Every structure is written in C-alpha cells, then in structure tokens.
Amino acid sequence: MGRINRSLSKLGNTVSNKTQSFAHRASDRNIRLAVTGLSGSGKTAFITGLVNQLLNAGLTGKSNNLPLWQVTRDERLYGVKRTLQPDLTVASFDYDLGMNALKQAVPQWPASTRNISELRLTLKYQPSRGILAKLTDSASLYLDIIDYPGEWLLDLPMLKQNYGHWSMAQALRKPIFTKSQYYPAFVGALDSLDLASNADESELKHIAELYQQVLVDSVHEHGFYYAQPGRLLLPGEFAGSPVLAFFPLLNISEDIRADLEHTQANSAYQVLKTRYKEYQDKVIRPFYKDYFSTFDRQLLLVDCFTPLNRGKEQFDDMTQALNGIMESFKFGQSNLLKRLFSPRVDKLLFAASKVDHVTRDQQGNVLSLLTQLIKQSQRQAKFEGCEVETMAISAIKATQHGMIRSSKGEIEVVKGVSLTERKPITLFPGEVPKSLPGTNFWASQGFEFTSFAPPNYVPQSDGADFEHIRLDHLLQFLLGDKLK
Ligand code: GDP
C-alpha cells in the first residue's frame, strides 16, 4: 500500500496547479481492445468474466484475484469503473444481462455474441514511471472492449475475388454442404434458376434463404465452422436486407459463365454479380474501415475442445476457418488490408478458451496444440509489426481440480456440474493432443468433452464473483505496458 499513499504534496511547490491539470489531461489515455473468435469460442462469457474481475480489482477489493497483473501486484490500481462508451451508434455490450444469467438460482451462461458491441471501463491507477509518475498521483486509462463475431473476418478473402471466383471457391465446399438436409432444396432451386432472364426479386431472395439454411445447418447441426458470406450466419444490422440476397453458383462451367457475362444488366446473373459487389463495398469494407482499423489490441479466442470432440472433418474445417481469420492479422506490406485500411493492432493474443474443461496436466497440451495451429498459418506470412502471444485461459472457471485413485494409480480429474442434466460429475476428459491430431488420434477418439454449467453464484464481499484461469497473465500482456 506504501506507494499508493504518496500524496500530491510530494510533488512540492515545484509543480504548479496548471502543470498538474495538464498532466491529468495528458494522462487520460484510451485503448481499444477487440475480442473475437468463431461462434461458441467463449467471447460473451470471456467479456462478462473479465469485466467482473476488473470491476472488483484494485484497492477497493481486499483480495487480489489478479496477482500476475503488475499494476495490481504493485498495488497501484485504485479501481475500475464503467463509463459511457464514446461511440453511441454501436450497441453496448450487455454486461448486466450476462451477469443476471449467471446469477440465477440455476445459473445460465450468457447468450452468445451475434453482433458487434462495446463497453468502456475507466482504470484509475498510480503511474510508476516516466513524467506522469513525477507529475501526478493518479492517471486514467479508458479501456474500450469491443466484441464482434470472428465469422465476419472470414469475408476478407472475398475482397480479392470476383463473383465467379468466389462461386468456384464455394463449389469446393460441396462435400460439406451436401451433409445438410437443406442442400437438395437449395441446389434444386439453383438449377431451375434461369440466370439469363430478368431477375425475379422474390426468387433470388428465396434461393438466398435456402443457401443461408444450408450454411446455418452445417455450422449449428453438423459442427462445421467456415461460412461465407459470414453475414449470412450472423447478419448483424444487415438482417433481411437485399445486400445479403445472393449465393454462389455451384454448378456452372467457365464457358457458361463467360456467356452470362453478355446478358443484359437486369438478368439474374448480373443482379447477383452486382449484389456481390455491393456486399464487398457496403458490408466488408465498412467493417474494416470503421471498426477494425480502430482496434489497438486484439484477442482471438479459440475453443480447441469442441472440434476435437466432433471429429476430423470439423477439426480441419476449424483450422481452415482460423487460417482465414488470421489473414486479417497479417499486416505485412503486401497485405491487402494494410493497403486498404491501415490497421494499427500492435499486440495480438491467441487464447485457447475454457481450459477449466481439462485437468491441469493437460493445459500445457492445449497451449502447444494452439501454437501449432497458429504456426501452420504463420508459415505463409508473418504477423509483422505485431507482438504475438498464445495462452490457455478460462474466463469463468466452472470446475474444480481433484485426484482419484484408479488401477493406474492417482489420476487428475475435473469436477463440475453437467450443463444439460445439472448433475455433479467427476471426469478425466482424456489426453489433449500436443500437436495437430493425426490418424491415430481420430481412430481412437480418446477425448470426451462435456459442457459444464456455470458455477453457482455466491456474491463476494471483496473481490470478483468468479474464479478464472490466467486472466491476470492475459491482462499483463494486453495492458501491462499502458499502466506503467
Ligand atoms: P461466443 O459465441 O463466442 O459468444 O461464446 P459464448 O461466450 O456464448 O460461450 C459458448 C459456451 O462456451 C458457453 O455457453 C459455455 O457453455 C462455454 N464457456 C465459455 N467460457 C467458458 C469458461 O471459461 N469455462 C467453461 N467451463 N465454459 C465456458
């Protein structure tokens, strides 16, 4: 507590009031931390858990739940408050709704991210270094946390493709599409569409809805990840608008496409081409320009367990989707994004989420699996000018560690309450592969991942309401340098 008690009087007479107020103004800084990940990766749970930790951190709480975060270890964090977000046109992240779900008698996980939202916190702290430490006893850091679906980043490659190229790329996904019960209706309608005749608005809308059903079904029912355009899965503010009423032409040869290029401007083919271009101009580009390019730091959450449970095809699809997402973070000079939108992210954290699902001895494996996934994508291009880190975390720890005796001796287990049956369970979920799983892993399928219910809510008089795994380490990487 010693350092924080330094009073303003220590500044002595050398510093005038004027200089002090200048220092206060100069010390008010802002950082925009974006949180993304594919659907179900844990974004809403993460932000709710993190905000709860932050609001209860600092000298207002008696116990320090974030010991690896330097500013709390040094006892220099006075406290954290919610403040009105600066951009009133973006939806607010509904922290209270999330907390209310977690606080119920039968606690529920907060509802998943479906759109972009943000929330601002003010962190009041004691600067320890530099001119600020000499001039003032307290400084503020405004932290904007922005939540957005990772699926939207899967649209980036569409900026490099025209409608024809994009259709060909989607045709390669037919083996996945065909698994959906909605696929026959979609291809049926597609095959009967006369692309050279005048466009019929309701017909295009109907086929686009069928394509959307195929995408949603392949993600929600069959456990795949890649969906393009991303807004058909999570439309955000574009729900129901004609800019989303397009679909890939899966069964058309190059020759036929070349002929269709000569059709009149209002043919179904030309209208679809125009819609695709509108999607590039009115949906993809504005997202990168208005939001993405304003982010300072980026966290990408990855749920490694669900695809391990689902199987090889789904795991490979997640790998492909992650590679697609990472395209947005390769800021090399030759990168399309760099040329178009000058992104400024200087720290990028890949975090394997929900590691409370596995025993402690498996958490290292989760980290090396994630590192392998990223390395594979890094091979093609580097995340230039950006400090990159990987971690394994849990924002809201729903399990406890335990040991049980077995024929092999003592083994580590996790204990929690199952999400569906709400019954206490003790289990060893299995070995997480250290590297990208090979044939042996899929042949033995030795992994059993169970969804756990959130912990029972017990209000704490001092400190946060939940336990976590490594959120302090995460905060040190993402914010440590801004709180010196
Ligand atoms: P989003 O779609 O990225 O917003 O993902 P959510 O935040 O909705 O998380 C999806 C699900 O993952 C939740 O409903 C929980 O079942 C689970 N989950 C998320 N974070 C944690 C965690 O830290 N621990 C555990 N045990 N489960 C989590």
Side-chain angles (χ1 to χ4, degrees), residues 14-249:
T14 48
V15 180
S16 69
N17 286 343
K18 205 170 157 193
T19 323
Q20 271 182 37
S21 75
F22 164 75
H24 279 293
R25 262 186 286 125
S27 67
D28 288 349
R29 284 159 313 129
N30 174 218
I31 186 148
R32 287 176 65 75
L33 166 64
V35 178
T36 198
L38 292 163
S39 213
S41 57
K43 298 178 289 294
T44 323
F46 170 82
I47 297 176
T48 311
L50 182 77
V51 171
N52 186 266
Q53 294 292 340
L54 287 171
L55 291 177
N56 291 290
L59 295 174
T60 41
K62 288 185 204 93
S63 58
N64 183 2
N65 286 345
L66 302 165
L68 294 181
W69 192 19
Q70 188 84 37
V71 71
T72 62
R73 194 164 66 231
D74 294 349
E75 299 182 333
R76 292 188 294 105
L77 184 70
Y78 288 107
V80 179
K81 274 196 191 141
R82 278 161 77 186
T83 325
L84 195 64
Q85 72 194 55
D87 186 348
L88 302 179
T89 62
V90 177
S92 303
F93 179 88
D94 207 336
Y95 170 71
D96 295 322
L97 193 72
M99 282 302 292
N100 287 342
L102 290 160
K103 281 180 185 174
Q104 284 180 41
V106 179
Q108 306 294 329
W109 290 103
S112 201
T113 300
R114 301 205 51 83
N115 205 343
I116 189 162
S117 66
E118 71 177 64
L119 161 149
R120 173 170 274 202
L121 298 174
T122 306
L123 283 66
K124 217 162 193 181
Y125 70 102
Q126 160 70 63
S128 67
R129 287 201 199 155
I131 187 153
L132 278 183
K134 294 199 183 78
L135 296 182
T136 176
D137 262 6
S138 106
S140 297
L141 179 70
Y142 296 112
L143 170 65
D144 295 328
I145 303 177
I146 304 110
D147 176 23
Y148 70 96
E151 281 78 1
W152 293 1
L153 301 179
L154 293 177
D155 285 346
L156 182 72
M158 291 174 77
L159 289 183
K160 287 188 244 173
Q161 295 166 319
N162 63 28
Y163 181 54
H165 293 140
W166 178 70
S167 288
M168 280 194 276
Q170 296 317 296
L172 298 177
R173 292 187 62 78
K174 271 196 245 174
I176 288 176
F177 293 154
T178 46
K179 293 185 196 299
S180 167
Q181 56 168 318
Y182 301 107
Y183 182 73
F186 167 60
V187 268
L190 195 57
D191 289 347
S192 52
L193 173 69
D194 184 353
L195 287 159
S197 299
N198 285 356
D200 172 350
E201 180 53 52
S202 61
E203 188 180 16
L204 296 186
K205 186 164 174 280
H206 174 64
I207 303 177
E209 281 165 1
L210 291 173
Y211 178 57
Q212 182 175 33
Q213 276 182 336
V214 172
L215 287 186
V216 171
D217 190 54
S218 70
V219 172
H220 293 293
E221 294 303 319
H222 298 275
F224 291 95
Y225 292 87
Y226 214 106
Q228 245 184 16
R231 298 285 181 146
L232 272 196
L233 199 68
L234 294 160
E237 70 275 32
F238 295 103
S241 62
V243 71
L244 299 189
F246 70 98
F247 39 83
L249 303 176

Side-chain angles (χ1 to χ4, degrees), residues 37-46 109-113 354 356-357 393-399 419 451-452:
L38 292 163
S39 213
S41 57
K43 298 178 289 294
T44 323
F46 170 82
W109 290 103
S112 201
T113 300
K354 319 180 195 178
D356 59 328
H357 276 92
I393 62 149
S394 165
I396 298 179
K397 192 166 166 265
T399 65
L419 184 60
S451 292
F452 290 99

Side-chain angles (χ1 to χ4, degrees), residues 419-444:
L419 184 60
T420 40
E421 284 141 25
R422 299 280 167 168
K423 283 194 184 134
I425 41 172
T426 297
L427 75 154
F428 175 70
E431 298 250 338
V432 178
K434 270 194 197 135
S435 52
L436 300 178
T439 340
N440 284 351
F441 176 85
W442 298 116
S444 60

